[in-house]
Amino acid sequence: MAKWTPKHEAPEPLEGPVVATITGGTILWFVLFLAQLPFYGWFDDHGHTWWVWTCLAGAGLGLIGIWYVRRRDAAIKRDAAAGPDQAATAAE
């Protein structure tokens, strides 16, 4: 079996408001968790309590994601502020 190789170059990664996107998603997961809490009995009766806990897990993982992307964004800004000369010496 031959190894598959792509016939075109990979596109550049998309950059956008990453921190705002992750924060918005985290808030959405937490709001969904809160919206389902009053109906916990129904979810329990029908065997769907994992829906509630999935929303809470999404909110918790989103908090880790916010921490991660904020640090990443700060590191990118620090690197850009350092200038190309210092970035080249740090890479060596």
Side-chain angles (χ1 to χ4, degrees):
M1 184 153 112
K3 181 181 174 189
W4 179 81
T5 55
K7 300 190 185 324
H8 54 80
E9 290 185 30
E12 291 294 319
L14 296 175
E15 289 295 331
V18 180
V19 176
T21 302
I22 301 300
T23 302
T26 302
I27 291 169
L28 180 64
W29 278 115
F30 191 67
V31 166
L32 289 171
F33 169 72
L34 292 177
Q36 290 179 357
L37 272 182
F39 306 103
Y40 187 83
W42 183 90
F43 286 115
D44 193 29
D45 292 343
H46 292 86
H48 296 303
T49 54
W50 65 270
W51 289 7
V52 177
W53 303 121
T54 298
C55 292
L56 184 61
L61 291 172
L63 291 174
I64 296 169
I66 291 169
W67 172 79
Y68 180 82
V69 297
R70 288 186 71 208
R71 285 185 50 123
R72 177 184 176 269
D73 195 40
I76 289 171
K77 288 178 182 174
R78 261 194 324 269
D79 186 53
D85 294 336
Q86 290 181 349
T89 11
E92 293 175 355

